[in-house]
Amino acid sequence: MGTFVKYQLKCLLSEELIDDQYTLHHADGALLRTVYNSKLSIDNGKIGLAKFQSWLPYEGESNNHAGTITYKSIQLQETLGMSDLWITFHGYWPEKGGMCPTGSFKDMEAVPTIMRLKEKGCKGVICASAGNTARAFSYFCGLENFPIIVVVGKDHAKRIYLPENHPTSVKLIVIEDGDYYDAKIFSKKIHQFLDSWQMEGGIHNVARRDGIGSLILDAAFTIGKLPVHYFQGIGGGPGPVGVHEMATRLIEAELFEGPVPRQHVSQNKEHCPIHNAWQAKRAHLVESDFPDKEVEVFSDYLLNKAPAYEIKGGVYDTLVESNGQTYIVSKEDAQKAKDMFESIEGIDIMTPGAVALASLIQSIDNGEIDPNDCTVLNISGGGVERMKSEMKTVPVTPWKVISKNNDPLSVIQELL
């Protein structure tokens, strides 16, 4: 008898099935997708991600908790003139059972990724971030005593904090003259000098996509069906792609009837490359999709200078396969949506969720959706202000503050 293999990775270009070696890349221009070798087995004795671990890309069991809470928002749906609106909330909200301790759904990416890294024998992980991802990975790597290098631009260093006395294993590099894009570039330069360390991988990391994708598992089993519509703010694309992939798995496993939820993704008005390309009916991005100068936006978490739009299995394919739609949201509309949600639900939310809610309001106003359709709104981060008011947090002290043109080898010399 051969050993049972829980999952393999399928190349979306060649359709080859390969074994996972924390593999991020197989064929140029295509993502890998997890193929699970058994049906979903839900462990209702567990919470969050652990309930769905049969469809997460690692073999063992994680002791760490993160996950989605799905609930029907009666007052918000009445305010919007809807009848079947469900919220997937990711963040700190103790009385609701919030399961994302650092305040965003990036916690659901960090937990399975760290399991995958450890099982594949990696020594440490390198993570570039605008804040949420790095905070999540720093938190859970600390609990696992797993080494992590975080690289951020100058404006995002303040977002890397931990609860007081939380174990830490992070070395924070701040690029004083750089942004998120520069952080990504520099992290790749570091990686070439660190044997057995791994780039976290972004959208190429199947553990991130399947971790986020678990939100639609939670939603579908809570609601009793797949929603007609799914709304989320979008930057690089792992969230909508992961949700789409997981919904597709549910249908293929005959656990729920299709079609897949329509993907409604939203961006800041001032920086909206995905929206521009999709509205132009283009399968690729062009230079003019991006602003020609640095811009001020409502949600800088959604700023991404290299979104995974045209790659096979990426955002374009997700929008095509789900008959999706894109939106742009002004600062004023996003702020109104944020104020509305917070006053009705009684919890603060991060800016991407506000952008998503503003696009939902837009879609009702312009007739894009039927307000009586079953709809899921992803509040991808929330409760951060509440958390900071209820527990002492301390900023992570930078290990190095550098220029983006610094020699990467000299920066990490003491780690070698």
Side-chain angles (χ1 to χ4, degrees):
M1 293 283 288
T3 306
F4 175 73
V5 178
K6 180 180 177 183
Y7 70 94
Q8 289 178 290
L9 302 180
K10 179 181 181 179
C11 173
L12 296 182
L13 189 65
S14 67
E15 304 207 332
E16 292 169 86
L17 279 175
I18 63 170
D19 293 332
D20 182 21
Q21 304 299 328
Y22 200 92
T23 314
L24 298 174
H25 176 264
H26 183 68
D28 288 348
L31 294 176
L32 290 158
R33 182 176 293 172
T34 328
V35 175
Y36 294 97
N37 293 320
S38 58
K39 276 201 172 183
L40 178 64
S41 170
I42 299 175
D43 188 339
N44 283 313
K46 296 188 173 161
I47 62 167
L49 287 168
K51 282 170 67 171
F52 308 118
Q53 66 185 28
S54 61
W55 275 7
L56 291 171
Y58 53 83
E59 302 288 344
E61 289 190 23
S62 176
N63 297 318
N64 296 317
H65 297 301
T68 301
I69 51 172
T70 305
Y71 70 95
K72 193 169 191 182
S73 175
I74 304 300
Q75 193 180 341
L76 183 60
Q77 72 175 15
E78 286 176 358
T79 302
L80 299 178
M82 301 180 75
S83 61
D84 204 8
L85 174 63
W86 297 77
I87 309 295
T88 53
F89 181 87
H90 304 94
Y92 177 82
W93 199 355
E95 63 275 21
K96 272 275 197 201
M99 281 183 284
C100 289
T102 77
S104 86
F105 72 172
K106 302 299 184 183
D107 292 343
M108 292 157 54
E109 304 174 16
V111 169
T113 297
I114 293 165
M115 284 294 290
R116 185 181 178 216
L117 285 159
K118 290 174 73 174
E119 289 183 352
K120 301 308 175 195
C122 303
K123 280 188 194 170
V125 62
I126 305 161
C127 176
S129 174
N132 287 343
T133 303
R135 192 165 68 249
F137 274 82
S138 297
Y139 181 95
F140 287 104
C141 282
L143 292 178
E144 293 287 333
N145 193 28
F146 191 77
I148 174 171
I149 295 172
V150 165
V151 188
V152 295
K154 64 181 188 310
D155 292 340
H156 299 146
K158 62 183 181 293
R159 293 176 177 163
I160 318 301
Y161 53 83
L162 294 167
E164 190 177 34
N165 300 321
H166 189 83
T168 182
S169 60
V170 61
K171 294 196 183 307
L172 175 62
I173 297 174
V174 179
I175 301 180
E176 61 186 351
D177 55 351
D179 56 15
Y180 172 50
Y181 183 74
D182 297 310
K184 286 206 295 188
I185 299 294
F186 198 81
S187 65
K188 287 176 182 171
K189 291 178 180 175
I190 291 172
H191 178 234
Q192 61 188 320
F193 297 107
L194 291 172
D195 289 341
S196 301
W197 283 61
Q198 262 294 355
M199 294 289 295
E200 170 274 310
I203 198 169
H204 295 271
N205 172 5
V206 293
R208 269 186 82 163
R209 301 203 318 267
D210 292 358
I212 300 175
S214 72
L215 75 86
I216 205 69
L217 301 179
D218 192 83
F221 284 101
T222 301
I223 300 166
K225 61 185 177 183
L226 281 168
V228 178
H229 305 289
Y230 170 77
F231 281 79
Q232 190 197 312
I234 190 170
V241 172
V243 167
H244 177 70
E245 289 176 325
M246 199 64 87
T248 302
R249 272 189 204 103
L250 283 172
I251 295 165
E252 289 175 349
E254 299 180 346
L255 291 167
F256 289 94
E257 290 182 359
V260 290
R262 275 193 83 193
Q263 291 274 344
H264 299 265
V265 298
S266 43
Q267 300 198 287
N268 299 289
K269 194 173 186 177
E270 301 81 6
H271 186 283
C272 49
I274 288 170
H275 174 78
N276 289 339
W278 180 250
Q279 295 302 321
K281 299 183 168 56
R282 266 189 279 103
H284 61 279
L285 298 168
V286 296
E287 195 176 334
S288 60
D289 290 331
F290 297 86
D292 55 12
K293 59 182 185 301
E294 295 297 316
V295 289
E296 289 287 318
V297 297
F298 180 80
S299 181
D300 65 355
Y301 295 105
L302 304 180
L303 276 182
N304 194 305
K305 293 180 181 176
Y309 183 73
E310 55 214 60
I311 192 168
K312 190 156 184 59
V315 174
Y316 176 78
D317 287 348
T318 294
L319 289 168
V320 169
E321 290 167 19
S322 70
N323 185 30
Q325 186 57 284
T326 64
Y327 305 81
I328 51 172
V329 170
S330 70
K331 294 173 187 173
E332 296 74 24
D333 286 349
Q335 187 61 55
K336 279 184 199 164
K338 188 174 191 292
D339 294 342
M340 176 194 289
F341 189 95
E342 292 176 349
S343 66
I344 289 173
E345 299 295 335
I347 191 75
D348 61 278
I349 62 172
M350 296 177 70
T351 54
V355 169
L357 174 53
S359 70
L360 170 58
I361 294 166
Q362 218 182 94
S363 75
I364 296 166
D365 290 347
N366 66 20
E368 183 67 38
I369 74 165
D370 183 331
N372 296 311
D373 284 344
C374 181
T375 299
V376 164
L377 168 65
N378 184 2
I379 298 297
S380 51
V384 172
E385 299 309 315
R386 164 99 179 261
M387 176 181 66
K388 288 167 116 177
S389 74
E390 293 183 358
M391 68 176 74
K392 186 166 173 53
T393 60
V394 291
V396 173
T397 304
W399 177 58
K400 307 270 187 193
V401 178
I402 62 163
S403 161
K404 62 187 175 187
N405 297 317
N406 267 64
D407 174 17
L409 182 56
S410 68
V411 171
I412 57 165
Q413 203 80 50
E414 60 197 80
L415 286 176
L416 298 174

